[in-house]
Amino acid sequence: MTITLVNPDGLPTVDVYRQVSIATGSKLVFLAGQVAWDADGGTVGVGDLAAQVERCYLNVGTALAGGGASFDDVAKLTVYVVDWTPDKMPLLLEGIARAAARLGVTPVPPATLIGVAALDVPEHLVEIEATAVVD
């Protein structure tokens, strides 16, 4: 296993991610930010944060596979959400859970959530980028 996920003593344990990832592989895979596009470039879930989060995670999974990686190899996720407020957390978590169920994974690498004013087009509510390490 190239990635070991850890919650060190002295830091809070968070259900949806681990505080630290330790990477020991030899190949880095950097993903462009994935938005809620289908394979034809159409936006999925316009106005629906949970649907867009789900699609972003599915797209991350597809992009990882294209780089010879999987969610098990992800060392770090960064999630950008338009007009973020804490009351959106249940929708974010719902989208993650739906994607995790469809992918058969538990995506809990260290993650950073950043609220932004806008993304590439007004229809996109979330963008997720990832860095993976593989042998």
Side-chain angles (χ1 to χ4, degrees):
M1 192 95 170
T2 59
I3 303 293
T4 303
L5 302 176
V6 185
N7 276 322
D9 291 340
L11 293 176
T13 299
V14 181
D15 291 338
V16 295
Y17 67 88
R18 301 301 175 261
Q19 297 286 356
V20 175
S21 69
I22 302 163
T24 58
S26 58
K27 179 172 87 171
L28 297 176
V29 180
F30 297 93
L31 302 188
Q34 298 299 304
V35 293
W37 278 332
D38 62 19
D40 297 321
T43 299
V44 174
V46 174
D48 183 341
L49 180 61
Q52 288 201 15
V53 169
E54 177 182 11
R55 185 60 195 214
C56 288
Y57 270 85
L58 296 175
N59 289 351
V60 166
T62 299
L64 287 167
S70 72
F71 269 99
D72 289 337
D73 302 310
V74 173
K76 177 77 167 72
L77 289 172
T78 304
V79 180
Y80 303 91
V81 181
V82 174
D83 296 327
W84 175 257
T85 56
D87 64 309
K88 293 181 181 178
M89 185 62 80
L91 294 172
L92 180 79
L93 296 176
E94 177 185 336
I96 293 170
R98 291 186 339 210
R102 287 182 65 185
L103 293 166
V105 301
T106 305
V108 293
T112 299
L113 173 63
I114 300 171
V116 296
L119 292 169
D120 60 329
V121 296
E123 294 81 20
H124 291 157
L125 304 175
V126 63
E127 183 169 332
I128 301 171
E129 62 183 23
T131 301
V133 180
V134 295
D135 285 328

